[in-house]
């Protein structure tokens, strides 16, 4: 059975090089096996530091960005053995906002690996580029002096987005930010939009109306910017209590799905007529509300975790917004989701990895694994034969 699972996974998983996987959408390109082992096999475990940044995988290596003492440190591990290949750190003193003290000093943003480079964003807004092979620092930029603020109130959390030869991230802080693109090789500024401060959600790339664009939740809006030059194409106001815009937008054609704490899950349709862009509400679902967990598209359904009832999984029809099913409550404070066909892997903060069949009339757990001894806020990384899990201070590789 384990051999079957590995064989099926290998079809859809190569590298996991960025936030939420190869396409930044939390999805694998092939279905998973329906049969799952009774337990996962520990391959290796390494002390790795604190923070909620997720592991990423590229070229047989695992990269993890974490805090070791008062340094933010990028580490590279051999995927097969867990051997630490190199680590590079820099001083990163940081005082946590008391409202976010339970989340620690970070970092929160996940690295991105592209074209032999690794890009990181520290909790205080330091953007760095490293050589992925040797770990050599290529360039580093800070923005506090330029923008008057280095990071938002609860710390920088946007995972860098790489588009060709550019790395895109929303830098700065409350009301004083810039959603900007930098040359990946040199760090030189390519374009910058300063219309709002950063939120905590990560930007995504999408083609809407024939135009490639960067779609992101900012501090007080959802925006679409031209990917080549950074012009604002469209925006809609969106705020949550204490400006906690956290959820990565889900783009399905010209439909953009978004949400936030104590807000209905919503979708807008983005259209273009010549040079003019417009947005129109498509649907709204008040039965579910997403806080930190971004939904995934699974078998044509939008599957996610609502924060209502202390954690409630849901499936919604993305065309109409109609609720298809709701799970029982008390499923967890947060869950990181990965979809493969109609199967969804959900890693909760309580260190449970749920394998769920989401195609039926109700939420159905196929298998349940305990994968750590402490909280698991970081998103898992899926490989050809297992899963990488970051808990409070360690990194583990578990094989199917």
């Amino acid at each position: 059975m384990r051999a079957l699972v590995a064989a099926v996974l290998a079809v859809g998983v190569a590298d996991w090089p960025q936030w939420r996987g190869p396409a930044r959408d939390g999805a694998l390109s092939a279905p998973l096996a329906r049969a799952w082992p009774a337990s996962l096999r520990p391959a290796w475990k390494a002390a790795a530091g604190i923070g909620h940044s997720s592991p990423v995988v590229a070229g047989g290596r695992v990269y993890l960005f974490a805090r070791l003492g008062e340094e933010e440190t990028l580490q590279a591990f051999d995927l097969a053995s867990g051997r630490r290949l190199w680590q590079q750190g820099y001083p990163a003193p940081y005082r946590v906002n008391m409202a976010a003290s339970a989340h620690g000093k970070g970092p929160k943003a996940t690295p991105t690996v592209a074209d032999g480079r690794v890009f990181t964003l520290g909790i205080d807004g330091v953007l760095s580029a490293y050589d992925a092979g040797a770990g050599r620092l290529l360039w580093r930029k800070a923005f506090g002096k330029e923008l008057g603020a280095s990071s938002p109130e609860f710390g920088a959390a946007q995972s860098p987005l790489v588009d060709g030869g550019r790395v895109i991230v929303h830098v700065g802080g409350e009301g004083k930010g810039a959603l900007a693109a930098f040359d990946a090789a040199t760090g030189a500024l390519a374009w910058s939009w300063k219309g709002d401060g950063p939120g905590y959600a990560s930007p995504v790339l999408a083609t809407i109306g024939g135009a490639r664009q960067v779609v992101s939740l900012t501090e007080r809006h959802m925006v679409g910017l031209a990917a080549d030059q950074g012009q604002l194409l469209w925006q809609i106001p969106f705020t949550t209590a204490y400006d906690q815009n956290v959820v990565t937008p889900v783009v399905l054609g010209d439909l953009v799905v978004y949400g936030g704490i104590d807000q209905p899950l919503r979708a807008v349709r983005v259209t273009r007529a010549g040079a003019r862009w417009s947005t129109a509400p498509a649907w709204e679902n008040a039965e579910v509300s997403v806080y930190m967990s971004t939904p995934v598209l699974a078998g044509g359904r939008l599957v996610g975790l609502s924060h209502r009832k202390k954690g409630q999984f849901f499936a919604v029809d993305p065309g109409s917004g109609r609720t298809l099913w709701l799970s029982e409550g008390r499923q967890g404070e947060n869950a990181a989701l990965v979809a493969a066909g109609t199967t969804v892997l959900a890693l909760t903060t309580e260190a449970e990895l749920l394998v769920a069949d989401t195609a039926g009339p109700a939420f159905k757990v196929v298998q349940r694994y305990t994968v750590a001894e402490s909280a698991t806020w970081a998103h898992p990384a899926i490989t050809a034969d297992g899963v990488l899990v970051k808990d409070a201070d360690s990194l583990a590789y578990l094989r199917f």
Side-chain angles (χ1 to χ4, degrees), residues 89-101:
Y90 61 91
Y94 182 75
R95 178 171 293 182
V96 183
N97 183 301
M98 288 302 295
S101 59

Side-chain angles (χ1 to χ4, degrees), residues 39-45 396-400:
S39 60
L40 301 182
R41 296 174 294 144
W44 53 262
K45 185 175 183 179
Y397 186 27
L398 305 170
R399 288 198 168 97
F400 298 124

Side-chain angles (χ1 to χ4, degrees), residues 257-281:
V257 182
Y258 64 104
I261 187 170
D262 293 330
Q263 297 272 359
L265 189 67
R266 294 185 173 99
V268 296
R269 201 165 296 281
V270 180
T271 56
R272 178 185 190 180
R276 184 175 180 178
W277 292 85
S278 61
T279 62

Side-chain angles (χ1 to χ4, degrees), residues 101-316:
S101 59
H103 289 260
K105 291 185 175 184
K108 298 179 179 180
T110 294
T112 299
V113 186
D115 299 322
R117 304 181 185 98
V118 188
F119 303 94
T120 64
L121 182 69
I123 196 167
D124 206 23
V126 174
L127 179 64
S128 304
Y130 299 84
D131 175 84
R136 177 172 57 91
L137 178 68
L138 301 175
W139 53 264
R140 176 168 290 144
K141 300 177 77 72
F143 306 94
K145 291 182 179 179
E146 173 189 347
L147 297 172
S150 59
S151 63
E153 190 172 7
F154 304 120
Q158 286 210 352
S159 300
L161 169 66
V162 174
D163 178 28
R166 295 173 176 176
V167 56
I168 300 167
V169 69
H170 205 148
V171 297
E174 186 177 357
K176 302 174 182 178
L179 183 49
F182 303 90
D183 184 276
T186 67
L189 181 67
W191 55 255
S192 176
W193 175 77
K194 296 183 178 180
D196 200 3
Y200 304 93
S202 295
V204 296
L205 277 173
T207 298
I208 305 175
R212 292 181 66 259
Q213 50 194 275
V214 178
V215 178
S216 186
L217 276 181
T218 64
E219 185 180 341
R220 296 170 183 250
H221 295 85
M222 186 167 67
V223 302
L225 305 182
D228 56 352
Q229 296 182 357
Q231 305 101 316
L232 178 68
L233 302 178
W234 55 270
Q235 69 175 347
I236 57 175
F238 184 70
T239 57
T240 55
Y242 305 104
D243 296 324
Q244 297 179 86
N245 284 354
V246 178
V247 177
T248 300
V250 178
V251 183
L252 306 171
D254 62 357
L255 196 71
V256 182
V257 182
Y258 64 104
I261 187 170
D262 293 330
Q263 297 272 359
L265 189 67
R266 294 185 173 99
V268 296
R269 201 165 296 281
V270 180
T271 56
R272 178 185 190 180
R276 184 175 180 178
W277 292 85
S278 61
T279 62
W283 51 259
E284 180 177 299
N285 185 326
E287 290 185 283
V288 298
S289 181
V290 289
Y291 178 22
M292 291 177 285
S293 179
T294 299
V296 293
L297 189 66
R301 297 177 168 190
L302 201 62
V303 177
L305 179 76
S306 170
H307 68 79
R308 301 194 189 285
K309 296 189 175 180
K310 296 188 176 181
Q312 186 177 34
F313 289 103
F314 66 83
V316 165

Side-chain angles (χ1 to χ4, degrees), residues 277-373:
W277 292 85
S278 61
T279 62
W283 51 259
E284 180 177 299
N285 185 326
E287 290 185 283
V288 298
S289 181
V290 289
Y291 178 22
M292 291 177 285
S293 179
T294 299
V296 293
L297 189 66
R301 297 177 168 190
L302 201 62
V303 177
L305 179 76
S306 170
H307 68 79
R308 301 194 189 285
K309 296 189 175 180
K310 296 188 176 181
Q312 186 177 34
F313 289 103
F314 66 83
V316 165
D317 173 41
S320 66
R322 179 174 61 92
T323 301
L324 301 175
W325 51 253
L326 293 168
S327 77
E328 297 294 326
R330 298 184 180 276
Q331 298 290 332
E333 186 175 2
N334 185 55
L337 307 175
V338 176
T342 61
T343 300
V344 169
L345 304 180
L347 178 61
T348 73
T349 49
E350 287 73 24
E352 276 199 322
L353 181 66
L354 308 180
V355 181
D357 179 3
T358 65
F363 181 65
K364 180 182 178 182
V365 176
V366 175
Q367 191 57 272
R368 189 185 302 263
Y369 306 107
T370 298
V371 295
E373 297 178 355

